[in-house]
Amino acid sequence: WASNSVYYLLSLWSRLVTSVPYLKGDTPSLLDETVPKITEGFITSRINSVQASFADNSPDPDNPLENAESLQDQLESLPYLCRFKYESCSLFIINIMEPLLQAYTARSRLPASGDAAELSVIEGQIAWMVHIIAAILKIRQTVGCSQDSQELFDAELAARVLQLINITDTGVHAQRYQEISKQRLDRAILIFVQNFRRSYVGDQAMHASKLYARLSELLGLTDHLVLLNVIVGKIATNLKCYAECEDVIDHTLSLFQELASGYMTGKLLLKLESTKFIIANHSRENFPFLEEYRCVRSRTNFYYILGCLVFMEDGPVKFRSFMEPLLQVAVNLEASADAAFRTDVVKYAFTGLMRDLRGIAMATNRCIL
């Protein structure tokens, strides 16, 4: 089918599926047989499309993985189709994901990246699957499946992506942050985490004992706190390693802000060692993006988030310790000669300090008492 017709085709079928509970009579429906074929056909077509689009591993505005609006259009209706026959659909997705994860894990253990084009294709295919899983977890629908069963299938799919998080920053993959395909994959993971968090972690999330019981069996993730530690660990890694990719930095900070803005999740974050490390070591040495001029606007958001977390606790000693690196920058600027303020280095240091302080000042306005 033509690419611009996908949205309308999937939308039509999703409306048919959502109308099933309102059908009357005993007339047999062909949806039970047809919808899984359509779902599998769409997913397979996305996987097969990667080979051509990732041949040169360069930005392509027509690629849905580069165009958030196009991607959202294609995946908006898919979750309803997937959840209609969720057991068979989740099994189909897992059967695609498992070989891809095995191949990606094997490549991480090699001394060199080998065929870079082949690795880019693998990353592109996994990115599509992560986006599809993220879309499924974003929408909760009970047609044709009990609540407990849905949680179990959600856990099976989520476990594959959470397993992927532990692979993406190891071995050879830790040297590929400049690659477009790696950046697309990490953006897909961030979208998954955002959707998963809204359903199963946080202030408004429902209690999901079945899901966490299954995640505990598969990955040892027993509750919200353990899962949050994995998420914050990924946030810290992105902020450390993506110094020159503004899109990934901004998306990572958006996720971090969502977590810090919730009362419950904010309190949970403060218990994590990974969060404590970020608050105690918010320097340019640990987070190189703070030195990048292209990411200068992100500095305000970064310090706004850290300020929100610091102000959740009534501790002046902790606040003074948090402000010490910024105070040192101010002292160094004060000691600089007047002529030095005409240089780009000092100008950037001054501008950066003002942006950092602006973020902290903004955080005082929403301080949770």
Side-chain angles (χ1 to χ4, degrees):
W1 51 61
S3 60
N4 58 357
S5 68
V6 171
Y7 168 79
Y8 300 101
L9 289 170
L10 294 181
S11 178
L12 169 63
W13 284 104
S14 71
R15 292 190 179 194
L16 292 174
V17 165
T18 53
S19 67
V20 168
Y22 307 102
L23 295 179
K24 298 180 180 180
D26 300 325
T27 305
S29 171
L30 296 178
L31 291 177
D32 291 348
E33 178 182 349
T34 306
V35 170
K37 293 180 180 179
I38 293 171
T39 305
E40 293 174 9
F42 173 78
I43 295 173
T44 302
S45 72
R46 299 304 88 194
I47 295 298
N48 293 339
S49 70
V50 172
Q51 184 76 43
S53 61
F54 277 79
D56 57 359
N57 194 35
S58 59
D60 178 9
D62 295 327
N63 189 326
L65 296 180
E66 285 289 329
N67 188 325
E69 184 177 350
S70 174
L71 184 65
Q72 181 179 353
D73 286 345
Q74 290 199 22
L75 298 181
E76 182 178 358
S77 301
L78 183 65
Y80 300 101
L81 303 182
C82 292
R83 289 188 180 275
F84 182 66
K85 291 293 180 181
Y86 200 12
E87 182 174 4
S88 61
C89 180
S90 61
L91 182 60
F92 178 77
I93 292 173
I94 290 170
N95 287 338
I96 294 177
M97 278 290 285
E98 285 293 342
L100 291 173
L101 288 176
Q102 291 172 9
Y104 197 58
T105 303
R107 294 298 290 267
S108 72
R109 298 177 181 140
L110 297 178
S113 59
D115 187 346
E118 181 184 355
L119 183 53
S120 293
V121 169
I122 294 174
E123 288 175 331
Q125 292 174 333
I126 296 176
W128 262 114
M129 297 308 298
V130 172
H131 276 297
I132 289 170
I133 293 173
I136 293 172
L137 295 182
K138 184 179 181 180
I139 295 176
R140 305 190 60 79
Q141 178 194 21
T142 57
V143 175
C145 187
S146 68
Q147 185 64 48
D148 288 348
S149 297
Q150 280 201 77
E151 289 187 6
L152 290 175
F153 298 141
D154 285 354
E156 292 287 346
L157 296 181
R160 271 63 189 184
V161 184
L162 295 171
Q163 177 187 350
L164 173 66
I165 293 176
N166 295 325
I167 305 171
T168 53
D169 302 303
T170 60
V172 171
H173 305 319
Q175 306 168 16
R176 289 177 50 81
Y177 295 106
Q178 303 292 333
E179 301 296 329
I180 299 297
S181 57
K182 175 73 165 65
Q183 295 169 11
R184 289 168 177 164
L185 177 56
D186 273 326
R187 286 200 299 267
I189 291 173
L190 291 171
I191 291 174
F192 161 81
V193 171
Q194 285 180 309
N195 292 348
F196 182 82
R197 182 202 69 80
R198 290 164 185 165
S199 295
Y200 291 111
V201 182
D203 305 318
Q204 304 300 323
M206 62 181 64
H207 182 64
S209 58
K210 297 289 185 181
L211 177 129
Y212 280 102
R214 185 58 180 151
L215 286 181
S216 178
E217 295 172 2
L218 295 171
L219 302 175
L221 302 176
T222 54
D223 55 28
H224 293 195
L225 196 60
V226 180
L227 179 60
L228 273 175
N229 197 49
V230 174
I231 295 172
V232 176
K234 179 59 178 172
I235 288 172
T237 299
N238 283 0
L239 295 178
K240 289 179 184 178
C241 300
Y242 277 109
E244 299 180 5
C245 185
E246 186 178 359
D247 286 345
V248 176
I249 291 293
D250 287 345
H251 205 146
T252 301
L253 289 175
S254 175
L255 171 60
F256 199 11
Q257 184 173 341
E258 278 190 21
L259 295 173
S261 297
Y263 182 79
M264 190 188 87
T265 51
K267 292 292 186 181
L268 290 175
L269 287 182
L270 292 173
K271 298 179 181 180
L272 303 177
E273 290 300 320
S274 50
T275 305
K276 294 176 183 178
F277 173 84
I278 296 174
I279 293 175
N281 300 275
H282 53 92
S283 63
R284 293 173 295 177
E285 290 74 23
N286 291 301
F287 301 105
F289 82 92
L290 295 173
E291 283 192 303
E292 291 293 326
Y293 185 76
R294 73 185 72 184
C295 297
V296 67
R297 294 182 182 275
S298 301
R299 295 181 63 151
T300 301
N301 196 22
F302 179 61
Y303 277 96
Y304 168 73
I305 296 166
L306 296 187
C308 290
L309 292 172
V310 170
F311 293 141
M312 281 185 182
E313 295 184 324
D314 186 13
V317 174
K318 184 175 181 180
F319 176 72
R320 292 192 188 99
S321 175
F322 170 70
M323 294 296 293
E324 184 60 34
L326 301 181
L327 177 61
Q328 189 58 49
V329 173
V331 170
N332 293 339
L333 287 171
E334 184 181 17
S336 300
D338 292 346
F341 281 85
R342 297 187 178 94
T343 65
D344 290 340
V345 174
V346 176
K347 285 179 181 178
Y348 182 74
F350 181 79
T351 303
L353 177 62
M354 293 301 103
R355 285 192 172 275
D356 300 344
L357 294 175
R358 178 188 178 191
I360 295 172
M362 289 166 58
T364 63
N365 196 39
R366 71 163 302 277
C367 178
I368 299 177
L369 299 176

